[in-house]
Amino acid sequence: MHLPYQRGPLHDLADTPVAYDTVLAEVTEEALERITPEGNLEHPGAVLDIGDTSLGITALLALAWQRTQDPRVPEAVRRSLAFHLRERVYTQDNPGYPNLRVRNSYLPYARYVLEAGAHPIGDWPSTVWALLQAVNVLDAADGLLDGPQRDDLLVVAHGYWRWLTEATFFNPQHAGNQAIGCVVGGLMLARHLPPAEGEPVRARALALYADEIRAHRVRDRGALLPPEHGGAYDNNYGPISLSFLAQAHRISGEEVFARDGEALARYIDARLTNGGFDLGGPRYSEQHSGFESVLGLRYFSRRIASDPGRYRGDTRWGRHAVHPDGGMDGHFAFMLVWQIQDPTRWHRTPSSTVARHQLRAGSVSVAFDDRMTPALIEAAGTYCLAGAVDRQHGFGPVVDGFLLCRPMGEVRVRDVRTAGLAAKLVTKPVVDREHVLRHVRSLYVTDGTTLWVTVAVERLGAEPYLLAGLPYATDDGDRVSRTAEAEVASAGDLRLTHPRGQAPDHFDARTETTQEQAAFALAADPRGYGDPDEGWRHLVSSSALEAGPAAGAPQDLHVFAVRYGTQGPFTPAFESGAQGLTVRTEAFTALIGGIDGDAHGVPELTLHG
């Protein structure tokens, strides 16, 4: 089976002016065919996320008219805008909405579900999206809208802003993408208001970003990130936040948005595998966004001089939102407008800068988590996740059922590059079940095709093994397939084990269950609202590669050596000396320094091809 949402790299989508004109032409034809006598442009099957959808298509039509002057478009724009102003602007409080600060404000807002009280919790983001669609229409109003209709839209847009920032609590879902989107809406709205009204809106937007978003950033993998639904990063919403930061910088010129966007882009770049696969998040895990991410990934690819556009998005939403029948939906259409307007083109070359939480070369990559434990290993087009044993998750030696990977002190890292090799040495202090301090030294070396991993630790009592990953997915053209196999060789005994239990907290890679489905099943709240990262942490056991100790290791050490990406004999040699542990393989010789490191405690590493 294929993973449903991780499809083609987003930078493979054509983004030339001609390509975008083709997209707009298709949008125009479908919209002109769909529009009702009342002016409604919504998809007939739309129920959720509906408050901004007709207005979103109106904004796309307005942009199309700017580029083509199609004489059929102005009447459709005016009629559909009249529909939105007449039928989709609400001023009576939605029954049951829990986040109001002011009752009966009579300020306009958009509904997530049209029926009163049906699902009011989504009204805040729906109003953000409606504000953004509205300011896009205002941007294209010259020569398209008459004065009264434009004035009515501006009054509604200003009312949306006031509802979001005065009548309700700001960012009630604790979602960074929604909050930054609201700030963008304020910044864009301010340009259309008279200076006496616009300057306070701009100042308020910047203050909200500083005080309500930036001040509450969450640290993960060395980066400070806008919090997303209570977590540091979400694979659906994180890149959407990046797009909002790109638009905020484009329209305001404020360097804070550029700095924060670059930090988020570098973080995404580091956690992405070479093939663009990733997973994890507090709201969704594998439901990657599509066109919503393009602006940010493309805009900041140039600024960080790397290729985050390799991110595998849901290319069914590669241009705009669609329904299962393939019909266009106007939800989030403002992102397509902005990416068409932005002239930035993709930077497609990987960064040459060393990243602490990633090792990447050629078709091989290792993405490390906050503890410098591999979260994803990629080699030969196959992706391995961290395994689970007895409720412990990670990558490292296991003795008596106890996994030695959780640091009990500072984790040290040394990166070395040679003409044909890239290497990372991680020294991690850990304690075993008896509270004995041990030092785990893990060496990762790649030539761009193969990955060699060597793990050394003071000799352990019982017969240990290396928990060496959970084979999970593999590239299959422009899709990603589930798998339970990987091309792996070991200097010791190697086995691929699977859980004996059938409960949801035992993940068997041979089934068709996805990681996200398993994570939601273990989450405390319903699917779509539960935290898959938290749910996955409840996993008791998983399919796992288990590698036994290598023969010929020094008497005082247990050494594990695993090779990913190529099969065949693997017989590394080890030698302990005054300067440390020497490792010899068919491709390199490495000298791993002692646990004390250099004068600053940084582990020493020498590498020769």
Side-chain angles (χ1 to χ4, degrees):
M1 61 167 285
H2 289 114
L3 297 179
Y5 302 103
Q6 301 214 24
R7 296 173 182 251
L10 290 178
H11 65 196
D12 285 352
L13 294 167
D15 63 347
T16 63
V18 171
Y20 281 135
D21 283 339
T22 299
V23 172
L24 287 175
E26 293 170 353
V27 167
T28 298
E29 294 305 321
E30 184 172 345
L32 293 176
E33 181 178 346
R34 173 187 298 173
I35 192 167
T36 68
E38 297 78 22
N40 187 354
L41 286 169
E42 293 161 0
H43 187 283
V47 175
L48 307 179
D49 276 316
I50 197 170
D52 71 306
T53 61
S54 182
L55 189 59
I57 297 179
T58 302
L60 288 172
L61 287 174
L63 178 63
W65 181 81
Q66 279 189 323
R67 294 167 72 93
T68 66
Q69 300 291 298
D70 185 331
R72 301 173 299 166
V73 168
E75 193 272 337
V77 168
R78 294 162 192 153
R79 186 148 53 97
S80 61
L81 178 55
F83 167 81
H84 179 83
L85 294 173
R86 183 180 66 250
E87 303 290 343
R88 293 296 180 259
V89 177
Y90 294 85
T91 56
Q92 298 287 336
D93 293 350
N94 200 351
Y97 185 69
N99 300 316
L100 289 176
R101 301 174 63 191
V102 179
R103 294 286 180 191
N104 300 317
S105 69
Y106 301 106
L107 290 170
Y109 68 94
R111 285 187 177 173
Y112 178 72
V113 174
L114 298 182
E115 182 184 352
H119 196 341
I121 197 69
D123 289 355
W124 201 86
S126 288
T127 304
V128 174
W129 313 149
L131 170 61
L132 294 170
Q133 314 283 27
V135 291
N136 277 346
V137 175
L138 288 169
D139 282 351
D142 289 347
L144 192 57
L145 301 181
D146 60 28
Q149 194 175 42
R150 180 192 178 280
D151 293 345
D152 289 345
L153 179 59
L154 181 58
V155 169
V156 167
H158 197 185
Y160 284 155
W161 169 257
R162 292 189 58 202
W163 187 87
L164 291 164
T165 59
E166 298 175 21
T168 71
F169 290 94
F170 183 78
N171 191 21
Q173 294 185 16
H174 305 289
N177 75 98
Q178 297 173 9
I180 305 171
C182 183
V183 167
V184 171
L187 294 172
M188 295 183 71
L189 171 68
R191 302 183 305 175
H192 291 283
L193 294 169
E197 297 179 57
E199 282 306 313
V201 170
R202 176 184 169 89
R204 175 69 168 146
L206 294 175
L208 285 169
Y209 182 74
D211 299 338
E212 300 296 335
I213 302 172
R214 200 166 196 269
H216 298 282
R217 288 175 299 170
V218 179
R219 185 177 296 277
D220 185 52
R221 307 189 192 190
L224 284 171
L225 309 171
E228 188 55 65
H229 286 283
Y233 181 78
D234 183 279
N235 270 314
N236 183 33
Y237 293 118
I240 295 176
S241 284
L242 189 65
S243 288
F244 282 129
L245 287 169
Q247 180 67 0
H249 184 248
R250 288 183 65 234
I251 62 173
S252 74
E254 295 287 339
E255 279 304 303
V256 65
F257 299 120
R259 291 197 305 270
D260 292 354
E262 288 169 10
L264 177 54
R266 289 191 183 97
Y267 170 87
I268 294 173
D269 191 41
R271 67 176 290 146
L272 274 183
T273 54
N274 180 75
F277 171 80
D278 194 16
L279 78 172
R283 180 69 186 272
Y284 295 112
S285 185
E286 294 179 308
Q287 292 195 40
H288 283 38
S289 47
F291 75 99
E292 312 101 298
S293 303
V294 168
L295 173 66
L297 293 169
R298 191 177 67 194
Y299 188 81
F300 286 106
S301 72
R302 286 284 166 189
R303 296 188 68 94
I304 68 170
S306 194
D307 60 336
R310 68 188 187 279
Y311 176 97
R312 285 185 178 269
D314 190 341
T315 50
R316 292 171 300 183
W317 283 41
R319 299 303 191 183
H320 48 70
V322 295
H323 276 256
D325 65 359
M328 172 183 60
D329 190 299
H331 180 52
F332 250 70
F334 49 83
M335 283 294 190
L336 178 57
V337 171
W338 299 341
Q339 65 170 278
I340 292 174
Q341 292 171 335
D342 177 46
T344 308
R345 299 279 71 86
W346 290 106
H347 183 97
R348 299 177 181 274
T349 307
S351 172
S352 58
T353 303
V354 171
R356 177 180 172 90
H357 292 89
Q358 185 191 66
L359 176 67
R360 181 184 175 203
S363 60
V364 171
S365 60
V366 184
F368 296 86
D369 66 15
D370 215 32
R371 306 176 304 178
M372 287 306 298
T373 296
L376 274 171
I377 292 176
E378 172 194 21
T382 296
Y383 306 99
C384 292
L385 315 183
V389 56
D390 196 18
R391 301 184 186 275
Q392 305 159 96
H393 297 209
F395 179 104
V398 178
V399 58
D400 285 333
F402 193 81
L403 174 60
L404 301 175
C405 79
R406 293 175 295 281
M408 191 65 114
E410 191 65 26
V411 179
R412 307 283 189 152
V413 178
R414 170 82 76 179
D415 283 274
V416 172
R417 298 288 189 272
T418 68
L421 299 169
K424 188 182 295 286
L425 174 61
V426 177
T427 299
K428 184 182 298 187
V430 302
V431 293
D432 63 18
R433 200 184 292 275
E434 281 69 45
H435 294 194
V436 175
L437 180 65
R438 299 186 178 277
H439 296 82
V440 178
R441 290 174 289 170
S442 303
L443 173 65
Y444 307 86
V445 181
T446 181
D447 62 359
T449 301
T450 302
L451 174 69
W452 293 266
V453 180
T454 305
V455 178
V457 62
E458 296 94 341
R459 197 157 191 88
L460 302 165
E463 188 67 17
Y465 66 87
L466 180 74
L467 185 65
L470 155 63
Y472 177 70
T474 188
D475 289 337
D476 183 13
D478 61 352
R479 297 293 300 275
V480 179
S481 294
R482 286 280 281 103
T483 190
E485 301 175 349
E487 291 188 23
V488 181
S490 172
D493 295 333
L494 180 67
R495 55 190 177 271
L496 176 60
T497 65
H498 301 285
R500 296 177 181 176
Q502 300 296 315
D505 53 3
H506 298 273
F507 187 81
D508 191 329
R510 295 171 297 181
T511 70
E512 292 191 349
T513 303
T514 67
Q515 185 272 347
E516 182 182 71
Q517 290 170 334
F520 270 124
L522 296 170
D525 295 310
R527 178 177 174 84
Y529 295 93
D531 182 340
D533 276 354
E534 180 189 21
W536 189 250
R537 284 192 288 271
H538 292 300
L539 196 68
V540 173
S541 66
S542 73
S543 298
L545 292 162
E546 299 177 357
Q555 289 297 313
D556 60 336
L557 296 175
H558 266 123
V559 179
F560 308 88
V562 181
R563 186 183 65 198
Y564 299 81
T566 54
Q567 295 179 328
F570 182 44
T571 56
F574 313 96
E575 181 181 342
S576 187
Q579 293 183 305
L581 175 67
T582 299
V583 180
R584 293 186 176 88
T585 74
E586 73 279 14
F588 65 87
T589 297
L591 175 60
I592 304 172
I595 61 174
D596 293 331
D598 61 15
H600 302 285
V602 179
E604 296 183 285
L605 174 63
T606 304
L607 183 67
H608 301 287

